[in-house]
Amino acid sequence: MPGNGAQPGQGAQPGQRAQRGQRGPWGRRRAWSRRRQPGQPGQGGRLGSAAASLIAGAVVAALLPLTGGGAAAAGKADGSLKARVVTDAAVYPVKEGRTARVRISVATTGSAPVDEPVTVDYTTEGDGGTATSGEDYRPVRGSVTFPAGTDSGTSRTVEVVTARDGGAEPAETVPLRLTVSGARAPAETPRIVIDAHGLPYLDPKLPVRQRVKDLLSRMSLEEKAGQMTQAERNALTSQGDIAAYGLGSLLSGGGSVPTPNTPDAWARMVDAFQLRAQATRFQIPLVYGVDAVHGHNNLVGSTIMPHNIGLGASRDPRLAGKTGAVTASEVRATGVPWDFAPCLCVSRDERWGRAYESFGEDPALVTAMETVIQGMQGAPSGKDLDRRDKVLTTAKHFVGDGGTEFGSSTTGSYTIDQGVTKVTREELERIHLAPFQEAVDRGVGTVMPSYSSLDILGDGQAPLKMHADGAMIDGVLKDRMGFEGFVISDWQAIDQIPGDYPSDVRTSVNAGVDMIMVPTAYATFHTTLVDEVKAGRISRARIDDAVSRILTAKFRLGLFEKPYADRSNLDRIGSAGHRAVAREAAAKSQVLLKNDGGVLPLKTSQKVYVAGSNADDLGNQTGGWTITWQGSSGRNTQGTTILEGMRKAQSRAGGAAITYSKDASAPTDGYDAGVVVVGETPYAEGVGDVGNGHDLRLSEADQAAVDRVCGAMKCAVLIVSGRPQILGDRLGDIDALVASWLPGTEGDGVADVLYGKRAFTGQLPVTWPRSEAQLPINVGDAAYDPQYPYGWGLTTSTRALRADGATRAPRADGAERLKELAAEAEAARKEGRADFAKGRAIVTAARLMVQDRVGQKITPTVAKPFAEADHLLLGGDAAGAVRKLTEAYRAAG
């Protein structure tokens, strides 16, 4: 959700003249360094070659919008001038004692030569800088001239020599004022920044805790408030506001991207913002964040994974970790060190527009899939965060966002998102809090509160917005759970707290929110936060706690040593290796719900008829949060549709050509099998709530395609969606049914299971309802009568079907075989061998027996224990799971 309407900046960095070192007379304490340093001019300090490349011109494109306007030539209106003067950067960091070099260029529209002389007078003298002329740097004054006929792009260089001493100091600035005649002047005065040096917080050998303590002790209240402020990149009135307010963070909302939307452009954009942060006293780097919820999904050409609902269907924690590692590698390669993921919501109502962001309806499943945190972030200690392939993670949304009651939302036309979660305290702990304790134990770096409100039944308290709930954020999350990272608000979420804006700020901060995703009115927020502290309504201790947490993350990420993008992994974005992981995830996310007559897997020798709105639509199969916030239909990025994957599978085997007719209007005679791919179009968050322009039924066109194809041949129907769809009386006409979820960019993975290259192994991560009247319906409910229960999933694996003769045994022997499996599970538990893989193998054998016996005759007495079995398995109780499956087996008659 890109932001708009940022507030204008209001002056220089607060407190920038504080703590200046004592100066001796010229030449007494300082010695001028006249020796030219090797490598890139003006560099060689801690910023290294990345900053050098910026100043050499890598961000000229990013800065050009800021270089128009300025002083006009005498006697001419600025708008009449055809030429303009630009500098290659607005900020020039330089190590103390070295020489800064400012490149001044003349440019014309269409790159024609200048048609009249252009003169640029420059000087370092005057007010506005924090460095002292004659002590910190050698003053310069002069002019450069570009005669008429000078080629556009011609440059001149101005050098500013800085002084060296043995003292420790914050960064100091030297403005280079330019007065231009004959052309438009730069909109900004370029600034040389003499790097901070010698201070303990800059020493990477010191423990992070000590570095944080030292830096915090030096910061003003205004600087601390800046660190607690996060703005949307599009909201910046000026890039100079990054330094003016000492902003701690920027983000790209959904669809907020550079032009062009390429990996290198992302890296250049983030680097340009980081360069601006170097103009602050302590050169605290930004921590840039994005919603990379299923891959680096804002970036065209990135590897897009199945949404979390599909990963939950895979029941493969190892694979979840691999998808997290791929996402982290691609995100960090573009200079972004922070991902607002994973979503640890437990989705209890599929009418919710965010249902697909959840791993499932069972807290045990969500907890099991949190291996994604280690894939993205590395070791729980945070020791891996400075790696070029790891990112800071965010557990969201704390707490209960998946349990909001239908009809309780008061946000616009939303029906459920951002509404009220009504639970007993026991339900809160068991269902919604459990995944967050797991995340804390895994070392998750940040936590994001939910927009929703929490109503704990029986406590006599009114519903409370989560961003205002200090008992939960400060009390439960930070104190009881021991969360040591920082809490980041959701997008403009504090504005939903009742009361005026100052009340919103103090309430949220006092509740334990450490950084506010403003995201547009950052100037107002900064001023308000400072005022609230000065008035005593927010304690300075609370501010210090928040900023300490934020700085700790920045030090662990290695941003003080390497604030710029490490581009060495750029070529891995969308690579074959990364797409192979996404392809595996797509295949394992497919859930085979029905397979009468063994329609699947298809044979490459068969003539196949393909139809349906989602067979050949990459945007529909990637869903929301893909390139834009809401996603879009059509080819919005690079990847393979399901149809394309099927055609490749047929072609590789030399099989018959596939016929495709989106609306099934082409003749249907003469085909061995039909595949109809139907489902939803993209949406995100409350926009996708059922009742807000959405429902759980197939479109009329999709229904017609299913009826036409399945009425003419054996057919398999694939439902590409973020949640179950109500099939009504059409289920009987369908031979095979697959819940494909939102498989991402790798349609080859779906083709792999359709053609038997991989077996179907997925299981339902949520209950599949018979009717909308049943909603909400979840595993563990007292009344439970679904179309398909939680955990249901047929397989085409011959190895699994033959496991210990389980499903091939005569039905008379089935109960006896289940006793054997129960004994195996119990023995493994007693012997300490009840690891996840062993337990799952035993329970899978029992589950397949039950499914084989039940067929499509799923009754409440079968469904309830069947679903509860998978919950017990995920909780580590394989023996209990087999007992529940035995109960379901007996109920099948």
Side-chain angles (χ1 to χ4, degrees), residues 847-886:
R847 178 174 60 83
L848 294 177
M849 284 185 61
V850 175
Q851 290 179 163
D852 184 61
R853 183 178 180 91
V854 170
Q856 295 291 300
K857 298 177 182 178
I858 302 169
T859 64
T861 54
V862 168
K864 184 174 174 59
F866 184 96
E868 291 169 357
D870 202 60
H871 169 75
L872 290 171
L873 172 62
L874 288 163
D877 186 1
V882 175
R883 287 194 294 272
K884 284 291 182 182
L885 287 169
T886 301

mmCIF file of all heavy atoms in Angstrom, residues 847-886:
data_model
loop_
_atom_site.group_PDB
_atom_site.id
_atom_site.type_symbol
_atom_site.label_atom_id
_atom_site.label_comp_id
_atom_site.label_asym_id
_atom_site.label_seq_id
_atom_site.Cartn_x
_atom_site.Cartn_y
_atom_site.Cartn_z
ATOM 1 N N ARG A 847 -3.453 -43.082 8.380
ATOM 2 C CA ARG A 847 -4.355 -42.121 7.719
ATOM 3 C C ARG A 847 -4.784 -42.624 6.349
ATOM 4 O O ARG A 847 -5.962 -42.518 5.959
ATOM 5 C CB ARG A 847 -3.663 -40.763 7.592
ATOM 6 C CG ARG A 847 -4.498 -39.711 6.881
ATOM 7 C CD ARG A 847 -3.818 -38.355 6.910
ATOM 8 N NE ARG A 847 -2.520 -38.359 6.260
ATOM 9 C CZ ARG A 847 -2.328 -38.236 4.940
ATOM 10 N NH1 ARG A 847 -3.378 -38.112 4.129
ATOM 11 N NH2 ARG A 847 -1.115 -38.227 4.434
ATOM 12 N N LEU A 848 -3.856 -43.174 5.594
ATOM 13 C CA LEU A 848 -4.193 -43.666 4.261
ATOM 14 C C LEU A 848 -5.155 -44.845 4.330
ATOM 15 O O LEU A 848 -6.022 -45.006 3.462
ATOM 16 C CB LEU A 848 -2.920 -44.044 3.505
ATOM 17 C CG LEU A 848 -1.982 -42.880 3.170
ATOM 18 C CD1 LEU A 848 -0.721 -43.393 2.491
ATOM 19 C CD2 LEU A 848 -2.670 -41.840 2.304
ATOM 20 N N MET A 849 -5.006 -45.652 5.367
ATOM 21 C CA MET A 849 -5.964 -46.751 5.563
ATOM 22 C C MET A 849 -7.371 -46.211 5.764
ATOM 23 O O MET A 849 -8.337 -46.708 5.179
ATOM 24 C CB MET A 849 -5.564 -47.581 6.785
ATOM 25 C CG MET A 849 -4.405 -48.512 6.575
ATOM 26 S SD MET A 849 -4.137 -49.519 8.059
ATOM 27 C CE MET A 849 -5.675 -50.377 8.175
ATOM 28 N N VAL A 850 -7.478 -45.192 6.607
ATOM 29 C CA VAL A 850 -8.793 -44.613 6.894
ATOM 30 C C VAL A 850 -9.387 -43.998 5.631
ATOM 31 O O VAL A 850 -10.568 -44.212 5.315
ATOM 32 C CB VAL A 850 -8.681 -43.573 8.018
ATOM 33 C CG1 VAL A 850 -10.027 -42.873 8.226
ATOM 34 C CG2 VAL A 850 -8.217 -44.225 9.311
ATOM 35 N N GLN A 851 -8.601 -43.230 4.901
ATOM 36 C CA GLN A 851 -9.104 -42.584 3.684
ATOM 37 C C GLN A 851 -9.554 -43.622 2.667
ATOM 38 O O GLN A 851 -10.572 -43.439 1.979
ATOM 39 C CB GLN A 851 -8.018 -41.671 3.094
ATOM 40 C CG GLN A 851 -7.768 -40.435 3.938
ATOM 41 C CD GLN A 851 -6.678 -39.541 3.369
ATOM 42 O OE1 GLN A 851 -6.568 -38.397 3.744
ATOM 43 N NE2 GLN A 851 -5.865 -40.059 2.473
ATOM 44 N N ASP A 852 -8.807 -44.719 2.554
ATOM 45 C CA ASP A 852 -9.162 -45.770 1.613
ATOM 46 C C ASP A 852 -10.499 -46.407 1.999
ATOM 47 O O ASP A 852 -11.334 -46.727 1.149
ATOM 48 C CB ASP A 852 -8.060 -46.825 1.599
ATOM 49 C CG ASP A 852 -8.309 -47.899 0.561
ATOM 50 O OD1 ASP A 852 -8.376 -47.563 -0.626
ATOM 51 O OD2 ASP A 852 -8.441 -49.077 0.960
ATOM 52 N N ARG A 853 -10.713 -46.550 3.286
ATOM 53 C CA ARG A 853 -11.955 -47.166 3.765
ATOM 54 C C ARG A 853 -13.141 -46.215 3.610
ATOM 55 O O ARG A 853 -14.244 -46.623 3.226
ATOM 56 C CB ARG A 853 -11.805 -47.566 5.235
ATOM 57 C CG ARG A 853 -13.011 -48.284 5.837
ATOM 58 C CD ARG A 853 -12.710 -48.652 7.278
ATOM 59 N NE ARG A 853 -13.815 -49.337 7.932
ATOM 60 C CZ ARG A 853 -13.991 -50.650 7.969
ATOM 61 N NH1 ARG A 853 -13.124 -51.438 7.343
ATOM 62 N NH2 ARG A 853 -15.018 -51.193 8.605
ATOM 63 N N VAL A 854 -12.894 -44.921 3.895
ATOM 64 C CA VAL A 854 -13.980 -43.944 3.887
ATOM 65 C C VAL A 854 -14.416 -43.583 2.478
ATOM 66 O O VAL A 854 -15.607 -43.398 2.201
ATOM 67 C CB VAL A 854 -13.544 -42.680 4.658
ATOM 68 C CG1 VAL A 854 -14.555 -41.552 4.467
ATOM 69 C CG2 VAL A 854 -13.345 -42.988 6.124
ATOM 70 N N GLY A 855 -13.445 -43.467 1.562
ATOM 71 C CA GLY A 855 -13.769 -42.967 0.227
ATOM 72 C C GLY A 855 -14.284 -41.544 0.308
ATOM 73 O O GLY A 855 -13.692 -40.699 0.968
ATOM 74 N N GLN A 856 -15.407 -41.274 -0.325
ATOM 75 C CA GLN A 856 -16.002 -39.937 -0.293
ATOM 76 C C GLN A 856 -17.177 -39.851 0.686
ATOM 77 O O GLN A 856 -17.853 -38.831 0.768
ATOM 78 C CB GLN A 856 -16.461 -39.527 -1.691
ATOM 79 C CG GLN A 856 -15.327 -39.358 -2.690
ATOM 80 C CD GLN A 856 -14.443 -38.147 -2.385
ATOM 81 O OE1 GLN A 856 -14.923 -37.012 -2.360
ATOM 82 N NE2 GLN A 856 -13.163 -38.392 -2.144
ATOM 83 N N LYS A 857 -17.386 -40.923 1.465
ATOM 84 C CA LYS A 857 -18.498 -40.955 2.420
ATOM 85 C C LYS A 857 -18.013 -40.465 3.776
ATOM 86 O O LYS A 857 -17.809 -41.253 4.713
ATOM 87 C CB LYS A 857 -19.080 -42.354 2.504
ATOM 88 C CG LYS A 857 -19.668 -42.855 1.183
ATOM 89 C CD LYS A 857 -20.165 -44.287 1.297
ATOM 90 C CE LYS A 857 -20.709 -44.795 -0.035
ATOM 91 N NZ LYS A 857 -21.155 -46.208 0.046
ATOM 92 N N ILE A 858 -17.804 -39.152 3.866
ATOM 93 C CA ILE A 858 -17.236 -38.549 5.070
ATOM 94 C C ILE A 858 -18.371 -38.082 5.968
ATOM 95 O O ILE A 858 -19.116 -37.154 5.637
ATOM 96 C CB ILE A 858 -16.307 -37.377 4.706
ATOM 97 C CG1 ILE A 858 -15.191 -37.874 3.781
ATOM 98 C CG2 ILE A 858 -15.731 -36.725 5.950
ATOM 99 C CD1 ILE A 858 -14.377 -36.777 3.147
ATOM 100 N N THR A 859 -18.519 -38.743 7.096
ATOM 101 C CA THR A 859 -19.568 -38.417 8.062
ATOM 102 C C THR A 859 -18.966 -37.667 9.244
ATOM 103 O O THR A 859 -17.747 -37.679 9.447
ATOM 104 C CB THR A 859 -20.234 -39.702 8.569
ATOM 105 O OG1 THR A 859 -19.251 -40.476 9.291
ATOM 106 C CG2 THR A 859 -20.786 -40.520 7.405
ATOM 107 N N PRO A 860 -19.804 -37.021 10.053
ATOM 108 C CA PRO A 860 -19.266 -36.324 11.233
ATOM 109 C C PRO A 860 -18.491 -37.238 12.169
ATOM 110 O O PRO A 860 -17.490 -36.825 12.768
ATOM 111 C CB PRO A 860 -20.515 -35.756 11.906
ATOM 112 C CG PRO A 860 -21.501 -35.596 10.794
ATOM 113 C CD PRO A 860 -21.242 -36.746 9.871
ATOM 114 N N THR A 861 -18.943 -38.493 12.310
ATOM 115 C CA THR A 861 -18.259 -39.411 13.226
ATOM 116 C C THR A 861 -16.894 -39.835 12.694
ATOM 117 O O THR A 861 -16.025 -40.253 13.469
ATOM 118 C CB THR A 861 -19.119 -40.656 13.482
ATOM 119 O OG1 THR A 861 -19.475 -41.263 12.232
ATOM 120 C CG2 THR A 861 -20.371 -40.289 14.260
ATOM 121 N N VAL A 862 -16.710 -39.730 11.395
ATOM 122 C CA VAL A 862 -15.404 -39.992 10.792
ATOM 123 C C VAL A 862 -14.546 -38.720 10.828
ATOM 124 O O VAL A 862 -13.370 -38.740 11.198
ATOM 125 C CB VAL A 862 -15.557 -40.478 9.341
ATOM 126 C CG1 VAL A 862 -14.204 -40.459 8.623
ATOM 127 C CG2 VAL A 862 -16.165 -41.869 9.304
ATOM 128 N N ALA A 863 -15.146 -37.616 10.424
ATOM 129 C CA ALA A 863 -14.392 -36.383 10.222
ATOM 130 C C ALA A 863 -13.757 -35.847 11.497
ATOM 131 O O ALA A 863 -12.600 -35.397 11.486
ATOM 132 C CB ALA A 863 -15.311 -35.318 9.615
ATOM 133 N N LYS A 864 -14.495 -35.892 12.591
ATOM 134 C CA LYS A 864 -13.994 -35.272 13.820
ATOM 135 C C LYS A 864 -12.714 -35.945 14.335
ATOM 136 O O LYS A 864 -11.698 -35.279 14.522
ATOM 137 C CB LYS A 864 -15.088 -35.262 14.883
ATOM 138 C CG LYS A 864 -14.684 -34.538 16.171
ATOM 139 C CD LYS A 864 -15.863 -34.441 17.127
ATOM 140 C CE LYS A 864 -15.450 -33.872 18.466
ATOM 141 N NZ LYS A 864 -14.860 -32.521 18.328
ATOM 142 N N PRO A 865 -12.695 -37.252 14.568
ATOM 143 C CA PRO A 865 -11.438 -37.868 15.033
ATOM 144 C C PRO A 865 -10.344 -37.828 13.971
ATOM 145 O O PRO A 865 -9.161 -37.745 14.311
ATOM 146 C CB PRO A 865 -11.839 -39.302 15.369
ATOM 147 C CG PRO A 865 -13.094 -39.557 14.616
ATOM 148 C CD PRO A 865 -13.801 -38.244 14.532
ATOM 149 N N PHE A 866 -10.734 -37.899 12.692
ATOM 150 C CA PHE A 866 -9.737 -37.838 11.620
ATOM 151 C C PHE A 866 -8.959 -36.523 11.701
ATOM 152 O O PHE A 866 -7.732 -36.514 11.644
ATOM 153 C CB PHE A 866 -10.430 -37.961 10.259
ATOM 154 C CG PHE A 866 -9.468 -37.995 9.100
ATOM 155 C CD1 PHE A 866 -9.058 -39.204 8.564
ATOM 156 C CD2 PHE A 866 -8.976 -36.820 8.536
ATOM 157 C CE1 PHE A 866 -8.156 -39.239 7.496
ATOM 158 C CE2 PHE A 866 -8.086 -36.841 7.474
ATOM 159 C CZ PHE A 866 -7.677 -38.054 6.950
ATOM 160 N N ALA A 867 -9.683 -35.402 11.800
ATOM 161 C CA ALA A 867 -9.034 -34.093 11.864
ATOM 162 C C ALA A 867 -8.191 -33.949 13.129
ATOM 163 O O ALA A 867 -7.071 -33.423 13.108
ATOM 164 C CB ALA A 867 -10.089 -32.987 11.805
ATOM 165 N N GLU A 868 -8.716 -34.434 14.247
ATOM 166 C CA GLU A 868 -8.003 -34.302 15.512
ATOM 167 C C GLU A 868 -6.713 -35.116 15.519
ATOM 168 O O GLU A 868 -5.750 -34.778 16.222
ATOM 169 C CB GLU A 868 -8.917 -34.709 16.663
ATOM 170 C CG GLU A 868 -10.049 -33.701 16.877
ATOM 171 C CD GLU A 868 -11.125 -34.192 17.838
ATOM 172 O OE1 GLU A 868 -11.022 -35.350 18.306
ATOM 173 O OE2 GLU A 868 -12.055 -33.406 18.119
ATOM 174 N N ALA A 869 -6.661 -36.162 14.713
ATOM 175 C CA ALA A 869 -5.452 -36.984 14.626
ATOM 176 C C ALA A 869 -4.272 -36.168 14.106
ATOM 177 O O ALA A 869 -3.155 -36.263 14.633
ATOM 178 C CB ALA A 869 -5.699 -38.193 13.723
ATOM 179 N N ASP A 870 -4.496 -35.370 13.082
ATOM 180 C CA ASP A 870 -3.399 -34.581 12.531
ATOM 181 C C ASP A 870 -2.939 -33.514 13.520
ATOM 182 O O ASP A 870 -1.750 -33.204 13.618
ATOM 183 C CB ASP A 870 -3.802 -33.935 11.203
ATOM 184 C CG ASP A 870 -2.588 -33.568 10.366
ATOM 185 O OD1 ASP A 870 -1.818 -34.478 10.038
ATOM 186 O OD2 ASP A 870 -2.411 -32.372 10.070
ATOM 187 N N HIS A 871 -3.885 -32.961 14.274
ATOM 188 C CA HIS A 871 -3.530 -31.996 15.314
ATOM 189 C C HIS A 871 -2.626 -32.640 16.360
ATOM 190 O O HIS A 871 -1.621 -32.061 16.785
ATOM 191 C CB HIS A 871 -4.794 -31.441 15.960
ATOM 192 C CG HIS A 871 -4.536 -30.643 17.199
ATOM 193 N ND1 HIS A 871 -4.024 -29.364 17.170
ATOM 194 C CD2 HIS A 871 -4.688 -30.957 18.510
ATOM 195 C CE1 HIS A 871 -3.885 -28.916 18.402
ATOM 196 N NE2 HIS A 871 -4.282 -29.864 19.234
ATOM 197 N N LEU A 872 -2.968 -33.858 16.771
ATOM 198 C CA LEU A 872 -2.153 -34.553 17.765
ATOM 199 C C LEU A 872 -0.773 -34.877 17.219
ATOM 200 O O LEU A 872 0.237 -34.736 17.923
ATOM 201 C CB LEU A 872 -2.867 -35.837 18.212
ATOM 202 C CG LEU A 872 -4.121 -35.640 19.064
ATOM 203 C CD1 LEU A 872 -4.848 -36.977 19.250
ATOM 204 C CD2 LEU A 872 -3.771 -35.033 20.419
ATOM 205 N N LEU A 873 -0.702 -35.301 15.967
ATOM 206 C CA LEU A 873 0.591 -35.609 15.363
ATOM 207 C C LEU A 873 1.495 -34.385 15.356
ATOM 208 O O LEU A 873 2.672 -34.462 15.735
ATOM 209 C CB LEU A 873 0.393 -36.121 13.937
ATOM 210 C CG LEU A 873 1.689 -36.290 13.115
ATOM 211 C CD1 LEU A 873 2.602 -37.321 13.745
ATOM 212 C CD2 LEU A 873 1.356 -36.658 11.673
ATOM 213 N N LEU A 874 0.935 -33.250 14.944
ATOM 214 C CA LEU A 874 1.738 -32.027 14.881
ATOM 215 C C LEU A 874 2.191 -31.584 16.262
ATOM 216 O O LEU A 874 3.212 -30.904 16.408
ATOM 217 C CB LEU A 874 0.929 -30.918 14.203
ATOM 218 C CG LEU A 874 0.730 -31.096 12.703
ATOM 219 C CD1 LEU A 874 -0.401 -30.207 12.202
ATOM 220 C CD2 LEU A 874 2.016 -30.793 11.950
ATOM 221 N N GLY A 875 1.437 -31.970 17.270
ATOM 222 C CA GLY A 875 1.818 -31.672 18.640
ATOM 223 C C GLY A 875 2.785 -32.684 19.225
ATOM 224 O O GLY A 875 3.154 -32.578 20.397
ATOM 225 N N GLY A 876 3.175 -33.696 18.440
ATOM 226 C CA GLY A 876 4.159 -34.677 18.885
ATOM 227 C C GLY A 876 3.577 -35.953 19.446
ATOM 228 O O GLY A 876 4.317 -36.809 19.936
ATOM 229 N N ASP A 877 2.275 -36.125 19.374
ATOM 230 C CA ASP A 877 1.627 -37.310 19.948
ATOM 231 C C ASP A 877 1.196 -38.247 18.826
ATOM 232 O O ASP A 877 0.012 -38.316 18.460
ATOM 233 C CB ASP A 877 0.431 -36.889 20.801
ATOM 234 C CG ASP A 877 -0.206 -38.061 21.551
ATOM 235 O OD1 ASP A 877 0.288 -39.193 21.422
ATOM 236 O OD2 ASP A 877 -1.216 -37.819 22.258
ATOM 237 N N ALA A 878 2.148 -39.006 18.291
ATOM 238 C CA ALA A 878 1.835 -39.925 17.195
ATOM 239 C C ALA A 878 0.932 -41.056 17.669
ATOM 240 O O ALA A 878 0.029 -41.499 16.943
ATOM 241 C CB ALA A 878 3.119 -40.483 16.597
ATOM 242 N N ALA A 879 1.157 -41.532 18.884
ATOM 243 C CA ALA A 879 0.324 -42.625 19.402
ATOM 244 C C ALA A 879 -1.120 -42.174 19.556
ATOM 245 O O ALA A 879 -2.065 -42.903 19.202
ATOM 246 C CB ALA A 879 0.877 -43.103 20.748
ATOM 247 N N GLY A 880 -1.324 -40.958 20.053
ATOM 248 C CA GLY A 880 -2.674 -40.427 20.175
ATOM 249 C C GLY A 880 -3.324 -40.242 18.822
ATOM 250 O O GLY A 880 -4.536 -40.453 18.664
ATOM 251 N N ALA A 881 -2.526 -39.858 17.826
ATOM 252 C CA ALA A 881 -3.056 -39.683 16.471
ATOM 253 C C ALA A 881 -3.558 -41.002 15.905
ATOM 254 O O ALA A 881 -4.628 -41.064 15.283
ATOM 255 C CB ALA A 881 -1.976 -39.091 15.565
ATOM 256 N N VAL A 882 -2.796 -42.081 16.134
ATOM 257 C CA VAL A 882 -3.234 -43.391 15.629
ATOM 258 C C VAL A 882 -4.511 -43.820 16.336
ATOM 259 O O VAL A 882 -5.413 -44.409 15.711
ATOM 260 C CB VAL A 882 -2.122 -44.440 15.805
ATOM 261 C CG1 VAL A 882 -2.629 -45.825 15.389
ATOM 262 C CG2 VAL A 882 -0.903 -44.073 14.974
ATOM 263 N N ARG A 883 -4.639 -43.519 17.611
ATOM 264 C CA ARG A 883 -5.881 -43.860 18.320
ATOM 265 C C ARG A 883 -7.073 -43.128 17.714
ATOM 266 O O ARG A 883 -8.156 -43.716 17.539
ATOM 267 C CB ARG A 883 -5.743 -43.523 19.805
ATOM 268 C CG ARG A 883 -4.841 -44.485 20.574
ATOM 269 C CD ARG A 883 -5.013 -44.327 22.080
ATOM 270 N NE ARG A 883 -4.546 -43.030 22.547
ATOM 271 C CZ ARG A 883 -3.292 -42.772 22.917
ATOM 272 N NH1 ARG A 883 -2.365 -43.723 22.855
ATOM 273 N NH2 ARG A 883 -2.952 -41.575 23.355
ATOM 274 N N LYS A 884 -6.899 -41.856 17.382
ATOM 275 C CA LYS A 884 -7.996 -41.096 16.767
ATOM 276 C C LYS A 884 -8.338 -41.660 15.391
ATOM 277 O O LYS A 884 -9.515 -41.746 15.004
ATOM 278 C CB LYS A 884 -7.602 -39.626 16.659
ATOM 279 C CG LYS A 884 -7.669 -38.854 17.964
ATOM 280 C CD LYS A 884 -9.121 -38.679 18.420
ATOM 281 C CE LYS A 884 -9.233 -37.876 19.694
ATOM 282 N NZ LYS A 884 -10.634 -37.742 20.150
ATOM 283 N N LEU A 885 -7.341 -42.051 14.623
ATOM 284 C CA LEU A 885 -7.583 -42.601 13.293
ATOM 285 C C LEU A 885 -8.277 -43.966 13.400
ATOM 286 O O LEU A 885 -9.108 -44.319 12.543
ATOM 287 C CB LEU A 885 -6.273 -42.713 12.521
ATOM 288 C CG LEU A 885 -5.704 -41.368 12.052
ATOM 289 C CD1 LEU A 885 -4.275 -41.533 11.534
ATOM 290 C CD2 LEU A 885 -6.588 -40.745 10.973
ATOM 291 N N THR A 886 -7.942 -44.705 14.431
ATOM 292 C CA THR A 886 -8.631 -45.972 14.663
ATOM 293 C C THR A 886 -10.112 -45.733 14.936
ATOM 294 O O THR A 886 -10.990 -46.460 14.441
ATOM 295 C CB THR A 886 -7.986 -46.713 15.835
ATOM 296 O OG1 THR A 886 -6.596 -46.948 15.542
ATOM 297 C CG2 THR A 886 -8.690 -48.041 16.103
#
